[in-house]
Amino acid sequence: MSEVLNGVQKAEAEAAKIIEKAQSKAEEIKRDAERKIRETEPNVRSQLTEEITALQQGIEKKAQTQAKTILAKADNEAAAIEEQAKKHIKKTVDFIVSAIYSFGGAAK
Amino acid sequence: MSAFSPADQIEKAIIDEAKAQAKKIVEDAEVAARQLTEEALENAQSNLAGWAARRKQMAQGTGDRILGKARNDAHMRVMNAKAAMINEAFQQARKQFEKERESAQYKTFLKNLITNAGIQIGGGDIVVLVRKEDQPIILKITGLGTAISKQAGQTTKVSVGKQAIDAIGGVMVQNKEGNITVDYRVETLLTQVDVKYRNAIAKILFPIEVKTEKPRE
């Protein structure tokens, strides 16, 4: 009978160790989770910052490219305007001179 | 018949139960940890959503500012090119006018300017100021006083001031008291032409409209 009791006590001691180990493991899981939770917001912020920085760089690059096109087009337009004006400057000068003379039109 | 003795069976049952409990303790801990970390992630995403949206809006704003500035600069480049050509036309007109100062048309021009100015002043004793080179021309013009008197309704005497004006041409006419002056110097007239005929001049100089990048409102 004492042999049986002895065996049960040993089993119970072993069972207690198994439970204790599991509780220790559970504590470890809990600590890991708490650490992850603490790191969550900084990690999300860091990830979002990377995404937004990439987005911003993309937007700026696209805008810079479009800006260059707009300015190049404007320079072409300015050159076209200059060319056009050169062809008509004589006529314009005559107009201005005649406009000056018009101030000395016949006295009323 | 079982291979285990009743004592062995009791011991095994105790161990098996402990293992089952242990398994549940770990599983529960894992489930709780998973739930908490998922909640934390959702909370963080929710907390940072506004911040991220503002940052994205700022990024978009930067792009809009770059494009806005480019459109303004483009518009200015085209406008400056037009203004430069209009100024060039005025410079050339000024030079052309200087070449015409010996012509009969210029003499008539001076005569008419003086008459118009005299009428504006209302006649009376008037003094004409011109370039030194134009003074002999004015002295040779006859009938100025009569023409002004007729229109102004007052006897008019025209004299040439000794003081010469600094101008490319034209006249300045004053009453005797010197408190009324009509400025018909060519420089002044050019400014008036610019103001009055700017659009007409632009149409002559740039008859074909060039499409420009206009800044957005």
Side-chain angles (χ1 to χ4, degrees), chain A residues 7 11 15 19 22 29 45 49 60 66-67 74-75 77 81 84-85 88 92-94 100-101 103-105 107-108, chain B residues 11 15 18 21-22 48 51 62 67 70 77-78 96 100 109 112 115-116 151 190 192 204-208 211-212:
Chain A
I19 300 290
I29 290 167
R45 186 184 286 272
T49 301
E60 281 182 20
Q66 286 179 336
D75 286 339
E77 285 168 6
I81 282 165
Q84 191 189 162
H88 300 98
T92 311
V93 168
D94 289 345
I100 296 168
Y101 278 124
F103 286 100
K108 292 166 196 168
Chain B
E11 286 171 28
I15 298 298
Q21 269 186 40
L48 294 170
W51 169 81
T62 305
L67 282 179
R77 285 184 193 189
V78 172
Q96 186 172 315
E100 294 184 10
F109 171 66
N112 289 338
T115 309
N116 286 338
Q151 295 288 323
L190 276 167
Q192 287 187 32
I204 299 167
L205 204 50
F206 321 113
I208 303 159
K211 283 183 182 174
T212 59

Side-chain angles (χ1 to χ4, degrees), chain B residues 21-217:
Chain B
Q21 269 186 40
K23 192 182 172 195
K24 190 164 185 321
I25 287 167
V26 172
E27 280 175 357
D28 285 352
E30 283 173 345
V31 168
R34 201 163 41 244
Q35 278 178 350
L36 288 172
T37 51
E38 281 172 3
E39 276 174 23
L41 182 63
E42 282 172 18
N43 285 340
Q45 285 171 338
S46 170
N47 290 342
L48 294 170
W51 169 81
R54 283 192 299 278
R55 290 283 306 268
K56 283 179 186 174
Q57 209 173 5
M58 279 167 69
Q60 191 60 52
T62 305
D64 290 345
R65 274 194 299 281
I66 291 168
L67 282 179
K69 186 179 181 305
R71 287 194 186 95
N72 273 327
D73 289 350
H75 187 63
M76 284 312 295
R77 285 184 193 189
V78 172
M79 290 297 105
N80 287 343
K82 282 186 175 179
M85 291 313 296
I86 290 174
N87 286 343
E88 175 64 23
F90 271 95
Q91 286 301 319
Q92 290 192 24
R94 187 186 161 108
K95 282 178 188 167
Q96 186 172 315
F97 194 87
E98 282 173 351
K99 287 179 193 168
E100 294 184 10
R101 286 182 302 203
E102 300 298 322
S103 67
Q105 188 182 9
Y106 180 67
K107 287 168 190 164
T108 308
F109 171 66
L110 291 182
K111 183 183 173 186
N112 289 338
L113 286 181
I114 295 165
T115 309
N116 286 338
I119 294 165
Q120 279 187 47
I121 288 171
D125 288 348
I126 61 170
V127 181
V128 177
L129 304 173
V130 291
R131 293 187 316 136
K132 194 179 173 188
E133 296 85 345
D134 290 343
Q135 284 175 349
I137 300 172
I138 306 300
L139 290 168
K140 285 179 191 168
I141 298 172
T142 54
L144 275 172
T146 311
I148 297 167
S149 302
K150 211 174 177 182
Q151 295 288 323
Q154 191 179 345
T155 307
T156 301
K157 188 184 165 195
V158 179
S159 58
V160 179
K162 288 178 184 171
Q163 188 192 343
I165 58 168
D166 182 19
I168 60 166
V171 299
M172 283 180 80
V173 180
Q174 294 176 332
N175 63 351
K176 191 183 173 185
E177 293 75 21
N179 61 342
I180 303 173
T181 303
V182 176
D183 184 358
Y184 277 157
R185 287 175 299 164
V186 170
E187 286 85 342
T188 310
L189 299 179
L190 276 167
T191 306
Q192 287 187 32
V193 169
D194 193 1
V195 172
K196 196 173 174 185
Y197 298 112
R198 186 90 176 176
N199 287 340
I201 289 165
K203 279 180 187 165
I204 299 167
L205 204 50
F206 321 113
I208 303 159
E209 194 184 339
V210 178
K211 283 183 182 174
T212 59
E213 185 83 25
K214 285 184 181 166
R216 287 182 183 162
E217 293 298 319

Side-chain angles (χ1 to χ4, degrees), chain A residues 12 15 41 49 63 78 80 91 96 104:
Chain A
E12 280 176 343
E41 188 155 323
T49 301
K91 208 165 137 187
I96 294 169

